[in-house]
């Protein structure tokens, strides 16, 4: 018997390669404009003074292999392929040198985006929530423990739409490296196990339509896939 008025939502969780237990999701932080070529294709300059973020709710979580409906309110739903960092230890005000120690695992993720709404919000200098915090828009593949992948460096990150290569870059192209992002975020938040960071997307983003199949890969990690279903 709980004290809740109604059934609380179940905490979403992501499988971990080689583990019986899964990784329960707390918060989802997303880095904006972390690849110069993507910032340029969106008509933006890269701000090299500090990274910036938006967030997605746990209700945005969907697992790789799913079919998700084309979401309401958009005519321009986009894919963004990203490296996901899963935090595995409490972190607060941690310097970049030691920030690697907070990484539990890495994964492939998709930051699906209502691009038309994001751009409209951006132009009105409003928050990006309608564009980014979309239900079933944060797609996660099974995570791979950091100890099983080793150093994050020149791994390839790519995305195919219906078998056609659309995004193709190296993780070393990221402007803000994984440890720098964790260190910076930890100056504002008490990061905890369960917190995820989507580290930004390379160039080549584009729209999807009903029936499309997305396949994303990063060398050494489990691939992520998504099928776009009918609009609700
Ligand atoms: Mn993104």
């Amino acid at each position: 018997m709980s004290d809740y008025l109604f059934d609380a939502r179940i905490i979403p969780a992501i499988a971990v390669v080689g583990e019986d237990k899964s990784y329960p999701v707390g918060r989802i932080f997303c880095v904006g404009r972390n690849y110069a070529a993507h910032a340029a294709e969106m008509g933006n300059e890269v701000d090299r003074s500090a990274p910036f973020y938006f967030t997605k709710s746990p209700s945005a979580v969907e697992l790789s292999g799913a079919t998700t409906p084309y979401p309401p309110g958009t005519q321009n739903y986009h894919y963004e392929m990203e490296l996901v960092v899963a935090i595995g230890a409490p972190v607060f005000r941690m310097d970049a040198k030691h920030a690697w120690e907070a990484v539990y695992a890495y994964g492939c993720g998709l930051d699906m985006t209502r691009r038309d709404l994001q751009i409209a919000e951006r132009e009105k200098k409003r928050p990006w929530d309608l564009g980014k915090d979309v239900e079933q828009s944060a797609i996660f593949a099974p995570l791979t423990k950091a100890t099983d992948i080793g150093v994050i460096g020149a791994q390839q990150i790519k995305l195919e739409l219906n078998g056609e290569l659309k995004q193709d870059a190296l993780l070393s192209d990221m402007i803000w490296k994984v440890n720098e992002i964790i260190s910076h975020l930890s100056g504002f938040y008490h990061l905890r196990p369960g917190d995820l960071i989507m580290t930004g997307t390379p160039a080549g983003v584009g729209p999807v339509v009903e029936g499309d199949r997305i396949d994303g890969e990063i060398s050494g990690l489990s691939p992520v896939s998504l099928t776009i279903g009918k609009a609700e």
Side-chain angles (χ1 to χ4, degrees), residues 30-32 38 54 80 82 111 113 132 198-201:
C30 306
V31 182
H38 171 61
F54 55 91
E80 295 190 356
E82 315 208 355
D111 166 18
T113 302
K132 286 293 194 178
M198 305 191 83
T199 56
T201 198

Side-chain angles (χ1 to χ4, degrees), residues 92-115:
F92 184 59
R93 291 182 174 161
M94 184 176 272
D95 61 71
K97 185 181 163 197
H98 294 96
W100 293 110
E101 297 164 13
V103 180
Y104 171 67
Y106 296 101
C108 289
L110 298 170
D111 166 18
M112 301 300 295
T113 302
R114 287 190 274 229
R115 188 73 71 204

Side-chain angles (χ1 to χ4, degrees), residues 2-186:
S2 85
D3 290 331
Y4 295 141
L5 283 166
F6 47 83
D7 290 341
R9 294 177 197 213
I10 293 169
I11 295 174
I14 306 169
V16 179
V17 175
E19 289 287 331
D20 294 334
K21 295 188 174 177
S22 55
Y23 181 94
V25 177
R27 293 174 289 190
I28 307 167
F29 298 97
C30 306
V31 182
R33 298 173 199 161
N34 203 24
Y35 290 79
H38 171 61
E41 74 179 348
M42 294 293 294
N44 299 303
E45 300 265 320
V46 171
D47 179 355
R48 292 180 188 269
S49 63
F52 75 96
Y53 311 94
F54 55 91
T55 58
K56 287 180 183 253
S57 307
S59 61
V61 172
E62 187 56 77
L63 300 180
S64 178
T67 297
T68 60
Y70 194 95
T74 180
Q75 305 295 322
N76 197 21
Y77 197 42
H78 272 210
Y79 56 79
E80 295 190 356
M81 175 64 199
E82 315 208 355
L83 172 71
V84 176
V85 177
I87 296 293
V91 196
F92 184 59
R93 291 182 174 161
M94 184 176 272
D95 61 71
K97 185 181 163 197
H98 294 96
W100 293 110
E101 297 164 13
V103 180
Y104 171 67
Y106 296 101
C108 289
L110 298 170
D111 166 18
M112 301 300 295
T113 302
R114 287 190 274 229
R115 188 73 71 204
D116 42 359
L117 300 192
Q118 182 206 8
I119 290 172
E121 289 161 333
R122 188 185 76 192
E123 288 177 353
K124 291 181 178 176
K125 299 190 189 302
R126 292 175 176 172
W128 292 0
D129 297 51
L130 290 181
K132 286 293 194 178
D133 193 7
V134 181
E135 291 169 352
Q136 295 177 284
S137 72
I139 319 299
F140 296 106
L143 300 169
T144 297
K145 285 186 274 188
T147 47
D148 292 339
I149 181 172
V151 175
I152 294 295
Q155 287 94 343
Q156 184 184 29
I157 176 171
K158 66 175 187 171
L159 179 144
E160 293 183 356
L161 180 65
N162 302 322
E164 187 180 334
L165 186 65
K166 295 289 190 182
Q167 295 188 281
D168 186 8
L170 300 174
L171 295 183
S172 49
D173 295 335
M174 286 196 288
I175 293 162
W176 299 101
K177 309 306 181 195
V178 169
N179 61 317
E180 294 171 331
I181 295 164
I182 294 170
S183 174
H184 184 261
L185 260 182
S186 80

